[in-house]
Amino acid sequence: MNFPTFFLPPVLRQSVLETERTAQAPESLIASAHLSAASLACQHFLRVRRPGGQEGPVSLSFIDIVPSGERKTTVHKDIFQPIVDFQREEEIRMQPQIDNYHLALSEWEVEIRDLYRRKSSLKKSGKSTQGAEDEIEQMLEEKPKRPKGFKLLMQDATAEAVAQRLHEEHPTAAIVSSEGGLVLESALFRSLGMFNSLWSNEDLEIVRRTKETLKIISPNFGVTIAVQEEVIKKFLKRKGSEIHNSGFMSRFLISRSLPKRGSRIITGEDLSRSGSDEFKARITEILKATHVFDEPASKYVMEYEPSAYKPWIDFFNETELAQAPGGSLADIPEAASKIGEQAARISAVLQYFEHGPSPINAVNAERGINIARGYLMQHKEIFGAKPEIPQDEIDAGSLGRWLWRQCERYGGMSRFRRNEILKFGPAALRNTVRREAALIFMVRAGHVRLEFSNKTTFVHLNPEFFPVQNPPAWFPPPFSGLPTGRI
């Protein structure tokens, strides 16, 4: 995927391009990481209200399908470094609070055990336990509460670990992994419903038999993973129809990168990182402004400026109508139905990154739409219905590749006997009917010309399509039909 980097705001765009030059990794992987980091930085504080009044979170989730050896870990480590640094500072600052909590909890546990023992003793002696029960009830209300911090990045992807983290800390986090296969195979994705609920910002209550119930109120949660294509195929095959029935993949913005291997050249040039430094400084600024320790989480609801309504509404209607039977998005209705919301989330993140709390202007509305459309087209290319290719076209491609190799092998020879295809060509084309159908397709496409001479039919190669040396000057325009004599 060639990511639509042009549509990013200047600082983000400059950082993506600089990182692409220095890391020499796929641009789509780098751009997804930038959007993910920006989303994670502001999702605790920010919500977006779409035209029409529907309101939701701004968390974003990404699956980047990237070949092995494309520096996925290097990119993630670089882009998410300001969040790692903020989280480390937060842990250091929180440590005295956590120590005091554990000390108070230990004392509380001793007192509550003593009260339960006293209640049991009173009950055995036949005396009233009411006083002890009242004290126990009071003690339960006074149980020390664990101070909530901001542990934004997660590695452990089990369902219980995610729930525990969102319950104990502020309910905002993301799993970011350059080893996406481990995440997809984790317990979190054994049942897809939990992730779907987290993506949609739905309250969760997880009841455990031997431990306290985990309550997660208005979570903000994202997943950003880089994964190899064979791994994602294995995951999709294992999940089968559950993927489509649950709408799981539609909640991700998906890209597939071409390999950069073989094109990485070191010039020794001192490459600028000023845009990248500015991006990281802005992420840190957002984190410190919106993640305030031990204060109620206030939310800023970002709305659209009146001038930005029309682009979003037009995009929503366009993608909605395209889901009708026979429409261009009828084969990926799950992703198409959520792309309007994805565009709004992206626009809100871009607006906040650029301007802080403010209405979404028309520029960022268009940016979000164009970026979302790019991801949607990539989703269609990967998961959409594949057009059925006629057999003669498939065979023509196979024959064309064979003729190219023969042309190279024999020093750019411009013609071959037709019966050589039957003797030495692709195995499937040693069938006369399929060979003739493939040849006729190539004739109509102008790739070859058939000539009948001295009781032999020759296949002449068009030098515009084959590496012919010293081609005959008489090669005529393409025509359709069976072989004829030389013109």
Side-chain angles (χ1 to χ4, degrees):
M1 170 185 177
N2 292 320
F3 186 86
T5 306
F6 174 81
F7 295 109
L8 291 171
V11 172
L12 273 165
R13 180 169 65 247
Q14 185 66 21
S15 182
V16 168
L17 295 176
E18 287 179 1
T19 306
E20 194 273 336
R21 286 195 296 269
T22 55
Q24 298 196 59
E27 191 174 315
S28 58
L29 169 70
I30 295 167
S32 293
H34 276 76
L35 287 172
S36 175
S39 168
L40 178 55
C42 62
Q43 68 183 26
H44 174 66
F45 172 74
L46 190 62
R47 292 177 66 80
V48 60
R49 182 173 293 133
R50 306 187 291 278
Q54 291 181 304
E55 184 181 310
V58 299
S59 51
L60 297 171
S61 290
F62 299 86
I63 293 178
D64 296 297
I65 303 173
V66 186
S68 177
E70 292 300 317
R71 302 179 177 173
K72 302 183 288 291
T73 302
T74 300
V75 169
H76 281 178
K77 184 177 179 180
D78 179 38
I79 302 305
F80 290 93
Q81 191 60 49
I83 297 175
V84 172
D85 293 342
F86 172 82
Q87 186 168 283
R88 188 180 297 119
E89 292 174 7
E90 186 72 8
E91 288 172 353
I92 293 171
R93 189 181 59 76
M94 283 277 299
Q95 196 56 53
Q97 304 283 342
I98 297 295
D99 292 341
N100 291 338
Y101 160 74
H102 286 304
L103 179 61
L105 182 63
S106 298
E107 294 174 352
W108 179 88
E109 288 172 342
V110 170
E111 291 184 36
I112 198 77
R113 279 196 298 269
D114 287 344
L115 283 173
Y116 275 115
R117 280 195 290 267
R118 183 151 67 87
K119 176 186 173 183
S120 179
S121 177
L122 289 170
K123 187 174 182 180
K124 288 178 182 178
S125 63
K127 296 179 181 178
S128 172
T129 61
Q130 186 60 50
E133 290 174 358
D134 290 344
E135 289 186 58
I136 288 172
E137 186 177 347
Q138 181 67 27
M139 281 293 293
L140 290 173
E141 292 178 0
E142 295 174 357
K143 181 179 180 179
K145 290 182 172 57
R146 189 183 190 282
K148 291 183 179 292
F150 294 102
K151 293 187 177 179
L152 302 177
L153 291 172
M154 298 187 63
Q155 299 297 325
D156 191 344
T158 66
E160 183 160 343
V162 170
Q164 187 80 29
R165 169 70 68 84
L166 296 175
H167 171 77
E168 290 184 348
E169 312 292 338
H170 288 289
T172 180
I175 293 173
V176 177
S177 176
S178 56
E179 297 296 335
L182 299 177
V183 177
L184 292 175
E185 296 298 326
S186 71
L188 176 61
F189 294 133
R190 285 181 195 150
S191 174
L192 305 181
M194 180 176 175
F195 170 76
N196 290 351
S197 295
L198 291 172
W199 185 88
S200 300
N201 196 228
E202 297 173 2
D203 295 348
L204 288 176
E205 183 171 292
I206 299 175
V207 180
R208 301 183 293 180
R209 291 182 180 178
T210 59
K211 299 179 181 178
E212 66 175 323
T213 297
L214 301 178
K215 293 184 179 180
I216 307 168
I217 308 300
S218 190
N220 296 282
F221 185 75
V223 174
T224 295
I225 56 175
V227 63
Q228 296 175 35
E229 188 159 10
E230 56 269 23
V231 175
I232 193 74
K233 285 181 177 178
K234 180 181 176 183
F235 172 75
L236 295 173
K237 183 177 180 181
R238 179 166 57 82
K239 288 296 181 182
S241 61
E242 184 185 359
I243 288 286
H244 298 290
N245 295 338
S246 67
F248 174 76
M249 294 301 289
S250 66
R251 288 168 167 81
F252 285 93
L253 296 165
I254 300 173
S255 69
R256 179 165 56 189
S257 305
L258 295 174
K260 298 279 284 187
R261 294 191 309 274
S263 63
R264 300 174 184 145
I265 304 299
I266 296 176
T267 63
E269 180 185 0
D270 187 14
L271 299 173
S272 171
R273 294 304 305 269
S274 59
S276 180
D277 292 341
E278 190 174 352
F279 166 78
K280 292 173 183 177
R282 178 58 180 151
I283 293 294
T284 300
E285 183 182 8
I286 292 172
L287 289 167
K288 291 183 176 180
T290 61
H291 295 69
V292 182
F293 172 70
D294 213 20
E295 285 189 10
S298 59
K299 298 285 186 182
Y300 177 80
V301 179
M302 184 173 280
E303 301 189 37
Y304 280 68
E305 286 183 351
S307 62
Y309 270 52
K310 188 177 186 303
W312 187 89
I313 291 172
D314 288 347
F315 178 63
F316 179 89
N317 291 337
E318 168 198 330
T319 53
E320 178 65 26
L321 294 173
Q323 298 171 51
S328 61
L329 302 177
D331 52 343
I332 52 167
E334 299 93 350
S337 66
K338 288 186 171 54
I339 201 64
E341 181 176 354
Q342 298 274 31
R345 293 186 184 201
I346 295 169
S347 292
V349 169
L350 299 182
Q351 181 72 29
Y352 193 86
F353 183 89
E354 268 202 308
H355 304 293
S358 57
I360 297 172
N361 59 35
V363 172
N364 280 320
E366 292 280 7
R367 285 170 174 165
I369 287 166
N370 284 303
I371 291 169
R373 181 182 281 114
Y375 279 110
L376 183 64
M377 292 302 98
Q378 187 76 168
H379 190 109
K380 179 175 174 63
E381 182 179 324
I382 297 169
F383 299 108
K386 301 298 184 287
E388 186 174 340
I389 302 175
Q391 188 63 52
D392 61 343
E393 185 175 348
I394 295 173
D395 289 342
S398 176
L399 178 57
R401 288 188 291 273
W402 182 80
L403 288 169
W404 178 286
R405 291 193 297 271
Q406 294 299 101
C407 182
E408 283 189 319
R409 181 180 180 182
Y410 293 105
M413 184 182 290
S414 65
R415 75 173 190 172
F416 298 88
R417 291 182 176 88
R418 183 171 61 177
N419 62 5
E420 289 179 2
I421 300 172
L422 278 177
K423 293 178 182 179
F424 310 113
L429 299 188
R430 293 175 193 176
N431 175 296
T432 304
V433 174
R434 286 181 61 179
R435 180 199 64 180
E436 292 304 299
L439 280 170
I440 291 172
F441 184 94
M442 295 186 72
V443 167
R444 288 173 175 165
H447 294 177
V448 301
R449 179 182 184 277
L450 302 182
E451 176 201 12
F452 186 74
S453 177
N454 298 325
K455 300 182 181 180
T456 302
T457 300
F458 291 92
V459 179
H460 286 264
L461 308 183
N462 188 337
E464 292 186 11
F465 299 96
F466 296 93
V468 172
Q469 298 295 322
N470 301 317
W474 56 268
F475 198 99
F479 64 92
S480 61
L482 295 175
T484 64
R486 180 169 177 169
I487 298 175

